Every structure is written in C-alpha cells, then in structure tokens.
Amino acid sequence: MKIELLDVTKEFPVRDSGTPFTALSGVSLSVASGEFLTLVGPSGCGKSTLLDLLTGLATPTRGEIRLDGVPVTGPGLDRGIVFQQYALFPWRTALANVEFGLEAKAVPRRERRELAGHYLDLVGLTGFAERYPHELSGGMRQRVAIARSLAYDPAVLLMDEPFAALDAQTRESLQEELLRIWQATGKTVVFITHGIDEAVYLGQRVAVMTPAPGRIREVVEVSFDSREGDLRGTARFGEYRHAIWSLLREEAVPVA
Amino acid sequence: MPRPSQGAGGLALSALDDSVLDYSVPDYGVQDDSAQDDSAQGDSGQDDSAQGDSGQDDDDPPRGAPGPAAPSVTRPRPPERPGRGRRALLAGRRAVRAVAALLLLAAVWEILPRLEVVDPTFLPPLSEVLLAWAELLRSGELADHAGASLARSLAGFGLAIALAVPLGLLIGWYRPVAQFLGPVLELFRNTAALALLPVFVLILGLGETSKVSIILYACAWPILLNTVAGVKGVDPLLIKSATSMGLKPYRLFQKVILPAAVPTIFTGVRLAGAYSILVLVAAEMVGAKAGLGYLINYAQFNFRVPDMYAGIITISALGLLFNLLLVRLERRFSTWRTT
C-alpha cells in the first residue's frame, strides 16, 4: 500500500466551548501504488482536512497516516499538492514557478530549466514558459500548477478540487489530460472533489465522504469496459453516478 | 502581455502600449485603457506570444513601421496601423492636455500681478521669479542650496530604508515582536514628525545630525508600516503551497515572503521619498546655513521675494522629479501585481 490511513480522527478546538469540533472521525483508507482515488463529498465533510493531514501540514488527533509504511510527520517533496486556487507565485514566470519545487530539492540550475521545460510540455504549455501567471487563463494556470507539482517527481499527487474554479469545458479537457498524465507518469493520485461526475470520471475508486463528523461512508470501485467516446453519457456512468448520489443523499437527509 | 515598457515616460508610454495592442486586435482601433490586455491574453495567446517579446523594446516597433523598402503588393495590409506620425500625434495631444493646466497656472501667475489684481510686491509675476531663478543658478547659489538639501534628503531617506525595511520584516514576521512593539509604534506614528522637530534640535543640536535625523524619522514610518503590511499581507495559500513543498522558514522567507512583499514595501519607499522633501524644508528653516528651505526662509526675511519663489519652485520641481523616479522604480518592481 502506498498510503494508509488508520482510524484517523481530527478534532479542532472550538472557541468558547469545551467540546472540540470533530472534522474527521475514524477514517480508514488505503490507496495502492499507482492508483487514482477520488474523494467525493459535500463541503464541510472534512475532505480538505484529510488532505492537510496527508500533506503533513496538520497532524491527526488520533490514528496514524503512513506513506510507504512510514508515518507521516510533516510536509515533504514525496507528495505534490495542487490547490483549487492554483497558488502560483505571481512574481515568477510559468517556467520559474515549475522550477520552484526543484529549487527546494536543490536540483542544479541547468537541469532545473530542462526539467521544468519538459513538464510544461507535458501539460501542453510549450511556448508559455516566459508568461507570468496573470497573463494566463485559469485553465493554463492550473496546468502550470500541475506541472509544478509533477516536476519534483513526488510519488503521490494530492489534488484539492483543482478544477472547481474552471468553466465546464476547460474542466473536461483538463480531466482528460490529467488521466493522460497519470497514465504517463504512473503517480498515485488522491483527487478531492465535490462533483460526483468528476469523481466517477477520474477515479478507479471513489471514496464517498459524509459530513458531521467526516467519515468515509463507502468506497465504490469504478471500471468501464471502454473509455472511448462520450463516457459520461453511457448507462454505466449513470449507474455509478446514481449510486454515489444515493449514498450522499441518504446522509444529507437525516431521519425526519 | 509585454511588460509595460518602462523605458518611455508616462505619456509616451501609454501611447506606445496602445499601438502595440493595435497589432493584435486591429479592429478596436486605439483605445485608451488597458482593458483589452486581458482579452488579448487568454488562450488565444499563441499569436501574440511572438510579438509579446518584440513589444518590449521601446524603440523598434514590432514589424511594420518604416522597415526595409520593397513593399509586397500581394497581401492587402490588415487595417491601417498607426504609423509613427499618428502615434506622435496622439502622444502630442495627450501632452498638450496635460501641460494645459500648467500653462494656465503660469499665465495666471504672470498676468494677475501685472494687472495688479494681486500685489506684485508679494507675488511678483512669474517672469521675474524665473529671472531671479536664472540669476541664482548663474551665481551657483542655487546649486549649493539644492546640493545641501539633496544630501540631507537622501541621507535621511537612505538611512530610513536601511533601518525600517529590516525592522518591518522582523515585526511582520515575528508575532511576538509585533505584539511587543505594537503599542509604541501606534503612539509614535500618530505623532506628527514635525511636532518632534524641537525635540530633535534640543537633543541633537542645530547641526546636520538633527536635520538628517528628522528626515530619517519621517521617512521611516511609511516604509516601516508598509513593510509590516507587506509581510503580513502575503497570500496564506502561497505560504501553504511553499510549506507543503517542505520549505524551511528561512527559505520560505527568502523565496516567498520577501518577493511577495516587495511591491508593498516599494509603495512605502515612494511615500517616504515625498516625505523626505516635505520635512526637509521645515528642518532647514531652523538653524541652517544652506539648503533650499534656508534659502526660502532667508529670502523672505530679507524681502528678496522673487528669490523666495525661486526657491519654492526649485523645491517643488525637486519633489516632483524624485517622486517620478520612485514611481518608475516602483512600477518596475511590481509589474506582476496586476492580477
């Protein structure tokens, strides 16, 4: 197993209150090496908390997170993160943004340039190396962010609703590209989203999360005989979507 | 978009930008604002990426314009581009508009005293003032005064940068330092610098030390406060993003906090530049033997009224130039802050 979450609970202290807020409760999950796992759930179900824990920016209150069997103790270059709001450094060009992680990894300058250029090519941004983020469209910025995370070659790619701020068409084309990149690089991907369609389209498995407190309700295996043509329009796709929708729905409407 | 070329000055610059844009979106004709920058960006980038580069140099316009001879007859040229002539005309028109108010002011200054609407003894016509100014310049007196003033201003300004920027970084970065110094800073920043001038004179005497010190003091505030704000205002997501890549605090500071804060710091530096001239005059009115403030004060005392106005004009020109320089510098350091 690449990533293992063992009965992870995360609580936050609440101001003026003795009882803490439980963001995640008893979450257990494992992700195989090279797997594409999507996490779907409504806002406030603890998705982002889970991602912070995986990143190592936060530590679980109880339980343990292991990466290759080793407990996660802090952030590191073995995991790459892609944020919804791109988080590009506006004073750096696209190329320099991609180089950022490589600088942190102390890769020599020339090699850095080459690698960064290579990853910009991979995300389809050949020729945009010298552009500043404000000169790029939202979709292009997110491509740069993906290239930046891939460039320092982490084993795991953690993505926090990366396409949520994009228009529908750009989103679909980036989803396709992400799958292509995933297949080309063989990374383990944990992809957080609130869109059921997106979760079904991208994930080999979809972990369905429910809020208050955040739990994983079920993990749905997704497989298609063929991904050719309009995958989203197939009956199979519709079944998956409905199944996940029902799982989410049951929780959203508590016993009357 | 090609970084707004810093080479040319304000007016000429915007005219140039328009014409650069004209190549990518010919149908819009010349527009005044940069709104279409964005539309030209987007995904349609490929075609303007080529000229994006060429547009950076001020003096050789991206293809078109004079160029080598032998015009090819085949392709009808896409909508007329503004040639040198039209561009110059536009720039000229803008310049005229901008200068008009100044000319009007000059005319009023010249005519009212001559018609004795105002007493020419106290406000001599502009021409007389300019004559006095020329005389001061010729005798070398003006250069001496301006030199003394500039030396003080720059010394105080420079020291303020050297002290306030590091201190501001420290306060912005380390919460305990901010909490400790906060109330004192709040107290002092709400005390007018000039109110403290007598204190400076009392403690540091009438010499250069007290003058440079008061300028330093006045300049330090905008720099300090902007630096603190700059450091505190860094987008937390950028910090999170960098931390997630395992950056240690020192590297984080160097690679994220500092570059993100630079534009805000520069706003403070520009303000300080203005203060350095403003406070200077007041400082030089007390116990100085040279300097433009001294000149103004001394001329007034001795009823050399045209000289007094000559001094005032010089100082305002100095302030204007200094500000212009700093604005230019600021723009250079914050081109990316266009979101």
Side-chain angles (χ1 to χ4, degrees):
Chain A
M1 281 298 127
K2 191 73 199 173
I3 306 169
E4 285 169 293
L5 287 96
L6 304 169
D7 201 19
V8 170
T9 296
K10 179 66 181 175
E11 291 169 350
F12 292 104
V14 179
R15 204 183 301 182
D16 306 327
S17 162
T19 49
F21 169 75
T22 309
L24 286 173
S25 171
V27 172
S28 292
L29 183 70
S30 38
V31 186
S33 189
E35 186 182 356
F36 199 126
L37 177 96
T38 50
L39 269 161
V40 69
S43 33
C45 73
K47 294 181 305 234
S48 295
T49 306
L50 189 62
L51 197 97
D52 281 353
L53 293 175
L54 287 171
T55 316
L57 291 173
T59 48
T61 313
R62 283 184 292 282
E64 195 170 61
I65 297 177
R66 291 189 194 151
L67 192 72
D68 289 322
V70 183
V72 169
T73 50
L77 289 166
D78 49 355
R79 284 147 290 158
I81 297 130
V82 179
F83 298 96
Q84 182 186 333
Q85 296 303 332
Y86 325 127
L88 296 178
F89 303 107
W91 57 89
R92 285 174 166 245
T93 61
L95 190 75
N97 261 288
V98 178
E99 283 184 47
F100 192 90
L102 298 169
E103 288 168 24
K105 211 177 171 182
V107 176
R109 178 186 292 263
R110 179 172 299 174
E111 203 178 323
R112 230 160 48 204
R113 298 234 117 192
E114 276 172 22
L115 272 170
H118 165 75
Y119 280 99
L120 277 181
D121 291 347
L122 183 72
V123 298
L125 284 183
T126 316
F128 290 89
E130 296 308 318
R131 297 293 189 94
Y132 284 86
H134 72 266
E135 299 168 344
L136 300 170
S137 68
M140 292 161 102
R141 287 182 209 182
Q142 195 55 286
R143 285 166 192 265
V144 176
I146 292 173
R148 180 176 62 183
S149 294
L150 289 171
Y152 52 85
D153 199 27
V156 177
L157 200 55
L158 304 168
M159 309 185 84
D160 190 2
E161 308 203 14
F163 306 148
L166 304 173
D167 64 86
Q169 266 180 315
T170 310
R171 188 183 312 142
E172 284 195 12
S173 68
L174 274 175
Q175 286 169 354
E176 266 175 55
E177 290 228 21
L178 178 61
L179 286 179
R180 178 180 61 78
I181 291 167
W182 166 63
Q183 274 153 2
T185 56
K187 306 279 177 211
T188 308
V189 181
V190 176
F191 188 106
I192 287 177
T193 177
H194 59 252
I196 300 175
D197 278 40
E198 189 167 63
V200 173
Y201 183 80
L202 291 173
Q204 292 177 302
R205 288 192 301 152
V206 178
V208 182
M209 288 191 73
T210 52
R215 293 172 195 279
I216 291 187
R217 183 174 163 81
E218 205 166 312
V219 180
V220 181
E221 298 255 359
V222 176
S223 71
F224 297 102
D225 301 330
S226 153
R227 297 189 72 99
E228 296 298 307
D230 180 15
L231 184 70
R232 295 177 183 80
T234 60
R236 191 78 184 260
F237 194 94
E239 283 164 25
Y240 282 127
R241 179 173 43 207
H242 182 72
I244 291 166
W245 180 84
S246 307
L247 285 168
L248 289 167
R249 180 79 172 185
E250 277 168 43
E251 282 300 312
V253 186
V255 188
Chain B
M1 147 188 159
R3 221 170 306 176
S5 36
Q6 269 92 16
L11 303 165
L13 175 119
S14 34
L16 201 120
D17 275 358
D18 286 347
S19 60
V20 168
L21 274 171
D22 249 19
Y23 294 94
S24 46
V25 203
D27 287 353
Y28 286 99
V30 177
Q31 293 205 351
D32 262 314
D33 54 334
S34 53
Q36 44 167 307
D37 284 10
D38 300 326
S39 62
Q41 284 334 308
D43 292 42
S44 69
Q46 285 96 335
D47 54 349
D48 68 68
S49 69
Q51 54 177 263
D53 299 327
S54 55
Q56 294 209 353
D57 287 325
D58 306 357
D59 28 15
D60 60 328
R63 59 202 128 103
S72 64
V73 203
T74 41
R75 254 182 299 161
R77 287 203 170 185
E80 207 189 311
R81 304 165 215 181
R84 279 259 159 89
R86 190 170 150 211
R87 200 186 299 166
L89 195 79
L90 273 166
R93 212 181 283 166
R94 242 173 248 177
V96 166
R97 236 174 271 158
V99 171
L102 285 176
L103 288 175
L104 196 69
L105 179 70
V108 169
W109 189 348
E110 182 64 34
I111 294 163
L112 290 192
R114 288 209 180 279
L115 298 176
E116 306 221 343
V117 179
V118 296
D119 191 339
T121 325
F122 300 125
L123 182 65
L126 179 60
S127 54
E128 274 179 40
V129 172
L130 290 179
L131 280 177
W133 188 82
E135 177 54 31
L136 283 172
L137 184 69
R138 201 196 50 77
S139 68
E141 210 178 326
L142 194 69
D144 289 347
H145 290 305
S149 287
L150 265 180
R152 288 175 189 136
S153 264
L154 290 179
F157 178 63
L159 284 171
I161 295 178
L163 288 175
V165 170
L167 187 63
L169 294 175
L170 216 64
I171 295 173
W173 189 233
Y174 292 106
R175 191 177 292 264
V177 181
Q179 281 164 347
F180 175 69
L181 287 176
V184 183
L185 294 182
E186 203 57 34
L187 184 70
F188 274 97
R189 73 179 251 210
N190 285 302
T191 310
L194 287 178
L196 292 174
L197 182 55
V199 180
F200 277 81
V201 172
L202 199 64
I203 297 173
L204 299 171
L206 280 169
E208 290 302 304
T209 323
S210 69
K211 291 180 181 49
V212 172
S213 301
I214 190 80
I215 294 168
L216 186 163
Y217 179 83
C219 288
W221 290 106
I223 300 176
L224 185 71
L225 297 173
N226 273 283
T227 306
V228 173
V231 173
K232 281 192 172 163
V234 178
D235 184 352
L237 185 62
L238 294 182
I239 297 176
K240 189 175 174 181
S241 168
T243 321
S244 76
M245 288 184 235
L247 253 69
K248 298 278 170 286
Y250 165 74
R251 304 284 280 171
L252 181 72
F253 191 82
Q254 177 204 0
K255 291 205 174 264
V256 180
I257 310 286
L258 209 53
V262 161
T264 320
I265 295 175
F266 249 88
T267 306
V269 169
R270 180 169 53 77
L271 285 172
Y275 285 13
S276 77
I277 303 284
L278 292 178
V279 179
L280 167 80
V281 183
E284 285 179 343
M285 287 183 176
V286 187
K289 290 189 189 66
L292 291 168
Y294 164 79
L295 171 69
I296 295 166
N297 215 28
Y298 172 83
Q300 190 247 357
F301 250 55
N302 294 286
F303 221 70
R304 286 160 50 189
V305 178
D307 284 357
M308 180 187 83
Y309 283 108
I312 293 173
I313 288 181
T314 311
I315 216 135
S316 74
L318 213 63
L320 205 66
L321 272 175
F322 200 30
N323 192 50
L324 214 66
L325 200 78
L326 289 171
V327 166
R328 192 79 73 69
L329 212 60
E330 185 187 9
R331 218 180 281 164
R332 173 154 302 206
F333 276 100
S334 46
T335 33
W336 55 266
R337 197 164 64 168
T338 9
T339 339

